[in-house]
Amino acid sequence: MNGKIINFDDYKNTGIIIADDGVQYSFDGKDWIERYAPKAGDNVDFMFNGTGSINRISYQSSQSQASTPPSLLKEPQNQNISTTPELEDYGRPDNSQYDENIGSLYLAESNYGIVDWTKKVFSNYATFTGRARRKEYWLFYLATIILSVVFGFMEGFFGGLLGIGIGDEAISPLILALVFFIPTIAVATRRLHDTGRSGWWQLLWFIPIIGWIVLVVFLAQQTSPQNNQWGLPAKRV
C-alpha cells in the first residue's frame, strides 16, 4: 500500500503515515527497511502484519535498502555548492538551516561541548528509551565529576568560614548526587542501547572489579551502525 510520512520523531523512533485512502497509521522505526532515516514528506510503500499494524516500510521509488531518499533525489544540482560527505548524505544548508531529518541532528551535535551535552541529558532527565552516543555519556559523566569537586570545595570553604560542621552545610555533595542519579542511569541506559545492549547491563556495577571493567568497555564502545529496537544510531558511523 502507498502513503506519505507526515511526521517522524527520530528520538522516539516513531512516526505517522497517511495512506492514499486518507487513513493514518503510526509506525515504529524498526519497521523502516531503508538505509537513510525516514523524513516527513517522503512517499512510501508499506505492508500490514497479522495484527493490522504496518511494517516493511520503504520508499516508493525503490525497495532496496541502498536507495536514496526522495528528498535528496529532488534536490537540484548546483556545481557551485561545496559539500561534505555528511551534507551529501543528509541534506545541505539552506538559509543557515538544515533539512529536517536525522542528518541535521548529527551535524548539530558534532559541535556540542560539555555544557551542551549536559543540557541534553537533563532535558531527557528520566528518558530510558532511545540511544546516546559516547560523547553524550562521557562528557556528562565528566560534568558530574567537575560539579562534585566544585560543590565540595564550596562546602568546605564556606563551611569553614561560617564554622559549620560537616553535614550542616546548605550545599552538600549528597544532594548533588541525588540530583544526578536518575539522569546518570538514564543516559547510561541510552548509551548501552546505542551499542545494541539492554540498559539492564548496568547491574554489572554490583559485581566489583570484573563487572565494572566489562561495563566500562560496553559504555566506551562505538555506536552500532544498525537501527535497532531503541531507534536510529545516535551518530553517523
Side-chain angles (χ1 to χ4, degrees), residues 98-178:
Y98 294 113
D99 293 339
E100 295 180 354
N101 59 15
I102 189 64
S104 63
L105 177 64
Y106 292 161
L107 290 173
E109 290 186 347
S110 66
N111 297 316
Y112 274 16
I114 187 171
V115 174
D116 301 301
W117 288 117
T118 302
K119 287 180 178 179
K120 180 176 181 180
V121 172
F122 272 102
S123 70
N124 296 284
Y125 192 89
T127 301
F128 294 88
T129 58
R131 299 169 63 165
R133 60 191 293 183
R134 287 184 295 186
K135 279 188 177 180
E136 181 174 349
Y137 176 80
W138 288 108
L139 288 182
F140 175 74
Y141 188 78
L142 177 60
T144 64
I145 295 175
I146 294 173
L147 288 174
S148 295
V149 172
V150 171
F151 274 61
F153 173 79
M154 292 173 62
E155 179 183 45
F157 180 76
F158 290 106
L161 287 179
L162 299 175
I164 300 175
I166 299 299
D168 295 330
E169 295 85 346
I171 300 176
S172 171
L174 177 60
I175 296 176
L176 188 68
L178 292 175

Side-chain angles (χ1 to χ4, degrees), residues 4 10 19 64 77 119-120 149 151 170 199 205 211 214 218 222 225:
K4 177 180 288 188
D10 56 83
S64 169
Q77 298 296 320
K119 287 180 178 179
K120 180 176 181 180
V149 172
F151 274 61
W205 288 127
V214 172
F218 288 170
Q222 175 67 282

